[in-house]
Amino acid sequence: MDDWGIADGYLDVNGTWHVTSSETRELLRAQMGEPVPGRPIWFVQQGTEHDLWGPNHLTLESGEAVGVVDHLDASTPIGYHDLAPVDGGPVTRLVVHPRRCPEPVEAWGVAAQIYALWSSRSWGIGDLADLRELAERVVAAGGGALLTSPLHQPAPSFPQETSPYYPSSRRTLNPLLLAIDAPPPARLVCDPDRLIDRDDVWIAKRSVLEAEFEAALEAGHTAHTDPDSVAWWNARCDVLLSDWTRWPDPLPPVDHDLERRARFHQWVQGRLEAQLADVAATGVALIGDLAVGFSPSGADAYDYRHLLALEARIGAPPDRFQPAGQEWGLPPFVPWKLRAALYQPFIDTVRASLRGVRGLRIDHVMGLFRQYWVPVGRTPGDGAYVHFPADELLDIVCIEATRAGAFVIGEDLGTVEPGVRDALMQRGIAGTRVLWFESTPPADWPRESLGTITTHDLPTITQVFLGEGAEGSDQAVHSRLTAVAEGASDPAEAIRLAHRALLDGGSVIRLVTTDDLSGACEQPNHPGDTSKPNWRRRLPRPVDELLADHDPPGRH
């Protein structure tokens, strides 16, 4: 590994070493720039004591001035504080972190792609009211956890982004998920045989929401909260469209129309937070999902543009499932620049993702350790791994999770470098076990894990049972279903037996998917295959038919 964090190469799943080419290394170095030291940062575990090199003014994150100290005692609270040497010199950012995240709840539950839920009152897409209905049904059946697809916000322009893992901002919520308290227009009545049309949904919902906003303004019922940076970006996106790289420089001045738009977008976020709170009020442990990154043309990329490698994309190297490799279209943070920014973008993102939830799944948690970067215009085979300061990022996750009273799950599937799972376990971050990838049955899975049969990127139980599609025909996957559903005569029985094995398994959290609960034959997403209607299918059954009679899945 060089001074930029670029690895010399990597071992693939077959143990073959792939060398990073000099050309790739130079392209990535050019994107990162010459590393420049930032302010010193010192990470300290909560409850430990330390002598300082000299007297320092200690100022807590709250702004409270503790005074001059030459010793850090065990009572220093968790948070982001400052140590300023009395005799001058750079101010050190003192990060006091807990040893571990809060413990996960012990429960079975459901994993849901929110957009795929539907009911008679849905406006063309699953929404937070549908999620609340599902949460109530999970709790009534004795379950305790509900994992959602990412709640992140797409740009408010057209076409609306279909993938919840390709947001404009990970710091704000998706307005498409807002439930409208009125019967849907005829064209938006949900039909499981029709694909979701997000553009049409957004046209209809925005019209209603803008009318409600104007009425609230006239009645004086809107809070006068100043718009945040994402709301301002959304407002400019309304006028200048979504690709900020094509916006004029300098930007047009703020006028009354732009301010009204920004306040509208901020008001919508307040509505979303209230509806999300209604889901949590059911008593279910709601688990959010933090996506790996964001669109290069979106709000987060705009706000953090000076900290990003804008001509590189995060992806994955070639493997058995994706022989050509993957390029996810997500611009990465430059490690040294993120640290020089005192990790504030990461702190803000994790904190926002923890609002309103009881747990957080970090998608592709290995990205906190290293990321596979592909230079723009090159193939995934031309990429290289770039290392990140994982210990410091994980300590920040512990701070934010502790403050939110939330547990954390790491999605550690695929190629995992040595030490990753140990680092997660030391901090109380549960790993992930998926039947299709495991050689052992759910009963033998470690307690410190979220266990499930499949994921949104993998075939459903019905798909595997019927052997439909390339993935569904994979012999190893089929044999793993047979091992837990031996003798099943049809997909419904295979689903019941597999769920019984999962729910009796060793994982502390055991989740069945709504796709399997509804008997869906198609997985939500086919990675790398744009010929499929990814992220656009509804479940074959409405939400009020899931967990029928409030029976736990797998019960006799």
Side-chain angles (χ1 to χ4, degrees):
M1 182 172 69
D2 61 20
D3 292 341
W4 287 259
I6 302 171
D8 296 331
Y10 68 92
L11 285 172
D12 66 18
V13 292
N14 298 317
T16 302
W17 180 255
H18 296 262
V19 177
T20 298
S21 71
S22 57
E23 183 181 10
T24 294
R25 190 183 299 276
E26 291 307 314
L27 286 171
L28 295 183
R29 283 180 176 179
Q31 274 300 294
M32 295 191 211
E34 192 72 27
V36 177
R39 276 179 55 186
I41 309 178
W42 184 25
F43 281 74
V44 171
Q45 185 175 302
Q46 181 187 26
T48 59
E49 298 190 0
H50 304 269
D51 290 326
L52 305 180
W53 286 354
N56 281 259
H57 296 283
L58 173 60
T59 304
L60 301 182
E61 181 181 4
S62 63
E64 176 188 350
V66 174
V68 176
V69 298
D70 58 11
H71 178 83
L72 198 66
D73 64 39
S75 64
T76 307
I78 65 170
Y80 314 96
H81 316 306
D82 285 328
L83 285 169
V86 170
D87 59 359
V91 177
T92 294
R93 171 56 50 91
L94 172 66
V95 181
V96 180
H97 62 89
R99 185 173 66 89
R100 292 168 62 88
C101 296
E103 292 295 316
V105 298
E106 182 169 5
W108 72 266
V110 173
Q113 299 292 311
I114 300 179
Y115 62 84
L117 302 174
W118 60 280
S119 62
S120 60
R121 44 144 304 281
S122 307
W123 280 49
I125 196 169
D127 57 35
L128 292 175
D130 293 323
L131 189 67
R132 185 184 66 231
E133 166 75 14
L134 179 59
E136 290 170 348
R137 299 179 76 81
V138 170
V139 171
L146 178 56
L147 170 65
T148 76
S149 49
L151 302 169
H152 309 320
Q153 182 175 25
S157 53
F158 298 100
Q160 281 285 287
E161 176 57 46
T162 57
S163 172
Y165 291 91
Y166 196 71
S168 169
S169 177
R170 297 184 293 177
R171 294 171 291 159
T172 47
L173 302 172
N174 185 351
L176 285 181
L177 304 180
L178 195 63
I180 302 296
D181 188 19
R187 73 180 192 279
L188 293 182
V189 172
C190 290
D191 179 345
D193 294 326
R194 286 167 45 209
L195 296 175
I196 295 167
D197 184 341
R198 286 173 170 80
D199 287 353
D200 203 13
V201 171
W202 182 225
I203 289 170
K205 285 194 174 184
R206 178 157 186 167
S207 176
V208 170
L209 291 171
E210 286 191 326
E212 291 181 358
F213 173 70
E214 294 296 339
L217 273 180
E218 291 182 11
H221 293 158
T222 61
H224 294 287
T225 305
D226 289 335
D228 61 21
S229 66
V230 180
W232 280 111
W233 188 91
N234 287 335
R236 293 196 183 279
C237 180
D238 285 342
V239 177
L240 302 173
L241 303 183
S242 63
D243 187 356
W244 60 266
T245 64
R246 300 185 180 185
W247 288 1
D249 185 17
L251 291 172
V254 173
D255 57 17
H256 175 73
D257 175 67
L258 193 71
E259 182 177 1
R260 189 205 68 80
R261 290 175 181 275
R263 292 192 178 279
F264 164 73
H265 288 293
Q266 194 71 44
W267 173 82
V268 169
Q269 289 299 309
R271 293 280 301 273
L272 284 160
E273 289 174 4
Q275 290 192 2
L276 190 62
D278 287 342
V279 179
T282 63
V284 78
L286 188 62
I287 307 171
D289 196 354
L290 175 58
V292 177
F294 41 78
S295 164
S297 62
D300 283 359
Y302 179 78
D303 280 351
Y304 303 140
R305 60 194 180 278
H306 301 302
L307 308 177
L308 301 174
L310 288 171
E311 292 300 314
R313 298 291 181 264
I314 304 171
D319 60 22
R320 182 169 67 90
F321 290 96
Q322 295 290 328
Q326 299 178 59
E327 193 264 78
W328 300 333
L330 309 168
F333 282 102
V334 175
W336 73 262
K337 290 182 179 180
L338 182 61
R339 195 174 195 273
L342 303 177
Y343 295 113
Q344 198 60 53
F346 182 72
I347 294 167
D348 291 344
T349 297
V350 174
R351 186 175 296 168
S353 298
L354 284 163
R355 281 199 297 265
V357 299
R358 182 84 180 282
L360 183 66
R361 172 188 179 271
I362 301 179
D363 189 46
H364 193 69
V365 73
M366 293 86 73
L368 301 183
F369 295 79
R370 65 177 186 177
Q371 296 172 2
Y372 191 76
W373 288 17
V374 182
V376 169
R378 303 303 176 100
T379 67
D382 297 323
Y385 276 107
V386 176
H387 288 262
F388 279 71
D391 285 338
E392 295 181 350
L393 294 172
L394 290 172
D395 289 340
I396 289 170
V397 169
C398 287
I399 291 174
E400 297 304 323
T402 298
R403 286 177 161 177
F407 57 88
V408 181
I409 296 158
E411 187 267 289
D412 54 348
L413 306 175
T415 303
V416 182
E417 65 179 325
V420 168
R421 292 192 172 108
D422 286 342
L424 298 178
M425 186 177 298
Q426 288 168 8
R427 292 171 175 82
I429 298 175
T432 303
R433 293 293 182 271
V434 176
L435 181 65
W436 297 162
F437 292 148
E438 296 297 319
S439 59
T440 57
D444 296 335
W445 295 352
R447 173 179 168 79
E448 299 83 8
S449 66
L450 179 153
T452 186
I453 302 294
T454 185
T455 75
H456 53 263
D457 288 334
L458 296 169
T460 65
I461 295 175
T462 298
Q463 200 172 346
V464 172
F465 185 88
L466 297 177
E468 296 192 0
E471 298 118 323
S473 301
D474 186 280
Q475 185 58 44
V477 172
H478 193 275
S479 66
R480 284 162 187 157
L481 176 61
T482 302
V484 296
E486 187 175 2
S489 59
D490 57 38
E493 187 176 12
I495 291 169
R496 181 176 61 81
L497 293 173
H499 283 171
R500 184 195 303 166
L502 174 69
L503 269 58
D504 290 341
S507 300
V508 64
I509 300 177
R510 303 161 309 281
L511 300 181
V512 301
T513 68
T514 49
D515 301 280
D516 286 337
L517 279 177
S518 63
C521 189
E522 282 287 348
Q523 64 203 66
N525 179 50
H526 295 258
D529 188 349
T530 57
S531 69
K532 304 284 188 179
N534 294 326
W535 313 113
R536 296 185 62 201
R537 292 187 179 91
R538 296 185 178 90
L539 297 176
R541 297 166 59 191
V543 67
D544 56 10
E545 291 184 12
L546 302 182
L547 294 171
D549 302 321
H550 299 305
D551 272 347
R555 177 182 289 176
H556 287 289

